[in-house]
Amino acid sequence: MRTSSPTGPAAEFSVVAEGLRKTYGDKHALDGLHLEVPRGTVFGLLGPNGAGKTTAVRILATLTRPDGGTARVAGHDVRSEPRAVRRRIGLTGQHPAVDEIMTARQNLEMFGRLFHLSRAQAGHRADRLLEQFGLSDAAGQQPKDFSGGMRRRLDLAAGMILAPEVLFLDEPTTGLDPRGRSEVWRAVRELADTGTTVLLTTHYLDEADRLADRIAVIDRGRNITDSVASFGGRTPTPAALKRAIGGDRIEVTAREAADVPGIVKAVARVAADGSEPEAEEGTGRVHASVPSGEGVAALTDVARSLQEAGITVEDIGLRRPTLDEVFLTLTREKQEAAA
């Protein structure tokens, strides 16, 4: 995990939000949101569309004023010290903000000048960022000719003009193909390795799993990981989040419906806590959770059993929890705790 070690509670977190509230008409976009983002980490803010992720980022970036609660970013209050906050942050929204006609280098120089760098400083900074984000060879090209991943990397570079302490990324890979997502992930990891605190919103669990040191799941404007007893009041790591809903599971899809009972028998041998595998009617899919750390062994065992039984399957593999499963499980635990 990427960490930094300043002393004192005020220096421990780059972002602290307590009881943030924001209402639009009769809709509570944020309803008492609490966040603590450790300095020098990548922090994933997960949740379905409409959960309040973008509203939270807009408040933390001083673009929207909260109706209640407090928030400090890089040690400064977003209400009373917005200019101090803005001098210490970068923001990349869901849609690229670069000009499609200007070249990549001209875009970065323009952003530098907007941040009051001299012409020479803006040019020097543009060259460094182009190199850092692997865009030096495309410096003279127009973003309209870039791939989605290249355009997004240029957008990230623009957000780093002043080398911010905190960088907010709102759904950074929405709409990108796998290659583009991989390019952006690599750029984000490199940013964090240089000491920048990154807060990213996403509804992709695999993205948060690859990038984030800590994860908060929000729904209806609240951090629903705060009240889950199994996390002990701490923001969970990706591994802890997956363990909370049972870790890996094995899934087998039958080629023939008649083979489903035999598949259930094979999977039952490795199911966690002796639980009965679930067979989905009409799909031929059989699945069950497996004991923590035993996924590969369980998969091998099931494959061997099926081979010995002469059963040919359409698909077999280990599956990680989806965000939908995480969200539904955490919501259920929250409801049970309140009952």
Side-chain angles (χ1 to χ4, degrees):
M1 181 184 298
R2 293 172 291 275
T3 60
S4 58
S5 55
T7 59
E12 184 179 355
F13 301 104
S14 289
V15 177
V16 177
E18 297 181 354
L20 279 186
R21 299 182 183 278
K22 185 65 181 179
T23 302
Y24 296 100
D26 59 355
K27 179 183 178 181
H28 295 285
L30 295 181
D31 190 16
L33 180 67
H34 174 77
L35 289 177
E36 291 182 339
V37 180
R39 188 177 300 275
T41 64
V42 178
F43 189 96
L45 192 59
L46 278 68
N49 291 332
K53 304 185 301 296
T54 296
T55 300
V57 168
R58 288 184 61 84
I59 289 175
L60 295 173
T62 74
L63 297 177
T64 299
R65 289 182 63 84
D67 296 329
T70 62
R72 298 183 69 83
V73 177
H76 297 276
D77 188 276
V78 298
R79 285 176 181 262
S80 60
E81 304 172 277
R83 290 188 177 181
V85 171
R86 291 169 194 155
R87 286 195 293 267
R88 291 164 174 80
I89 67 171
L91 171 64
T92 299
Q94 295 182 19
H95 306 288
V98 297
D99 185 276
E100 295 289 312
I101 303 302
M102 300 172 67
T103 68
R105 191 175 193 276
Q106 287 171 339
N107 264 283
L108 296 183
E109 288 176 331
M110 177 189 69
F111 279 103
R113 296 290 282 161
L114 289 173
F115 281 109
H116 306 294
L117 298 181
S118 69
R119 188 177 300 277
Q121 289 173 325
H124 179 66
R125 185 63 179 155
D127 288 338
R128 290 193 60 182
L129 288 169
L130 288 167
E131 181 179 358
Q132 180 178 354
F133 285 88
L135 294 170
S136 294
D137 292 342
Q141 298 177 23
Q142 297 170 318
K144 66 183 180 67
D145 299 322
F146 285 4
S147 66
M150 290 175 65
R151 189 179 296 111
R152 203 57 166 146
R153 278 186 284 146
L154 180 60
D155 209 36
L156 288 174
M160 291 293 294
I161 285 291
L162 295 185
E165 295 179 37
V166 182
L167 179 63
F168 296 106
L169 303 180
D170 192 14
E171 305 284 358
T173 62
T174 296
L176 295 185
D177 60 22
R179 181 185 297 274
R181 293 181 75 199
S182 179
E183 291 175 353
V184 173
W185 288 352
R186 181 171 61 252
V188 172
R189 284 195 298 268
E190 290 174 354
L191 288 178
D193 287 340
T194 64
T196 298
T197 300
V198 179
L199 187 152
L200 67 92
T201 72
T202 182
H203 55 267
Y204 300 127
L205 181 60
D206 62 332
E207 181 161 275
D209 192 19
R210 288 281 296 272
L211 294 176
D213 300 301
R214 296 279 174 177
I215 291 176
V217 180
I218 68 172
D219 177 46
R220 299 179 183 179
R222 295 185 178 184
N223 183 347
I224 62 176
T225 55
D226 269 352
S227 58
V228 178
S230 59
F231 296 148
R234 295 176 58 85
T235 304
T237 63
L241 187 62
K242 288 180 287 185
R243 285 197 300 270
I245 62 171
D248 291 337
R249 69 177 187 274
I250 190 168
E251 286 187 2
V252 183
T253 302
R255 178 168 294 179
E256 303 291 340
D259 291 329
V260 169
I263 294 173
V264 170
K265 182 178 180 181
V267 174
R269 293 177 45 174
V270 300
D273 302 322
S275 59
E276 185 69 17
E278 295 185 32
E280 297 181 3
E281 187 175 353
T283 67
R285 188 170 65 172
V286 178
H287 55 89
S289 296
V290 298
S292 178
E294 298 181 18
V296 174
L299 181 63
T300 302
D301 191 318
V302 170
R304 184 183 302 112
S305 297
L306 294 173
Q307 185 177 34
E308 292 173 353
I311 297 175
T312 301
V313 299
E314 191 69 31
D315 184 46
I316 181 172
L318 286 175
R319 305 288 186 257
R320 285 183 171 179
T322 65
L323 178 57
D324 286 341
E325 292 165 330
V326 171
F327 173 71
L328 290 173
T329 299
L330 294 182
T331 302
R332 183 169 60 250
E333 288 188 12
K334 187 175 186 296
Q335 292 172 339
E336 292 174 351

